[in-house]
């Protein structure tokens, strides 16, 4: 299993069978342009290839619609996991399949289990 930090709250988890992208914020800024990533980074969207995208909550430094729209074009088959109905609705409108979960729910994925908190 390999964890890669992509800046702020964005992480990529790679297991033998599943790639999970957490809180994708893929642009140069976040929180509606208020903050700039430091150090500067460049994300190669085509290299991410997530099977699952987890959006933890709706703060704009975790729930970034422009990033999700890019991912909807690049990996429309990715499953979105969130606990927030607003995020669920937005991601469904982008064309994603969404699984809305509660606290302490075990999600079985190929090669690993994800436990929500």
């Amino acid at each position: 299993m390999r964890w890669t930090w992509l800046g702020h709250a964005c992480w990529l988890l790679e297991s033998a069978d599943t790639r999970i992208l957490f809180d994708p914020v893929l642009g140069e800024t976040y929180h509606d342009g208020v903050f700039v990533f430091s150090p500067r980074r460049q994300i190669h969207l085509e290299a991410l290839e997530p099977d699952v995208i987890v959006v933890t909550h709706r703060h704009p430094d975790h729930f970034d619609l422009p990033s999700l729209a890019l991912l909807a074009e690049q990996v429309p088959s990715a499953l979105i996991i969130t606990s927030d109905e607003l995020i669920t609705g937005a991601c469904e409108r982008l064309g994603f399949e969404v699984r809305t979960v509660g606290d302490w729910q075990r999600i079985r994925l190929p090669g690993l289990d994800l436990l929500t908190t």
Side-chain angles (χ1 to χ4, degrees):
M1 187 174 295
R2 181 169 72 178
W3 287 88
T4 303
W5 179 61
L6 301 173
H8 190 59
C10 186
W11 288 86
L12 179 65
L13 168 63
E14 299 170 273
S15 74
D17 302 309
T18 304
R19 296 168 64 90
I20 304 174
L21 184 62
F22 291 87
D23 292 332
V25 178
L26 305 175
E28 294 180 7
T29 64
Y30 62 98
H31 217 290
D32 292 328
V34 173
F35 300 103
V36 175
F37 282 96
S38 182
R40 295 267 188 204
R41 69 196 180 137
Q42 186 175 23
I43 303 287
H44 297 282
L45 185 61
E46 66 281 353
L48 296 176
E49 300 177 350
D51 303 297
V52 176
I53 300 167
V54 175
V55 182
T56 58
H57 61 286
R58 70 172 77 166
H59 291 165
D61 56 332
H62 296 257
F63 172 47
D64 184 65
L65 276 172
S67 295
L68 289 166
L70 285 172
L71 288 163
E73 293 173 10
Q74 188 74 28
V75 285
S77 62
L79 170 67
I80 300 284
I81 296 175
T82 187
S83 63
D84 188 299
E85 291 292 337
L86 181 138
I87 295 169
T88 295
C91 289
E92 286 175 342
R93 284 194 279 301
L94 288 171
F96 286 111
E97 176 187 348
V98 181
R99 186 163 174 194
T100 308
V101 298
D103 290 342
W104 305 111
Q105 186 171 342
R106 182 174 307 278
I107 301 161
R108 299 205 182 276
L109 299 168
L112 61 89
D113 287 356
L114 185 65
L115 179 65
T116 64
T117 58

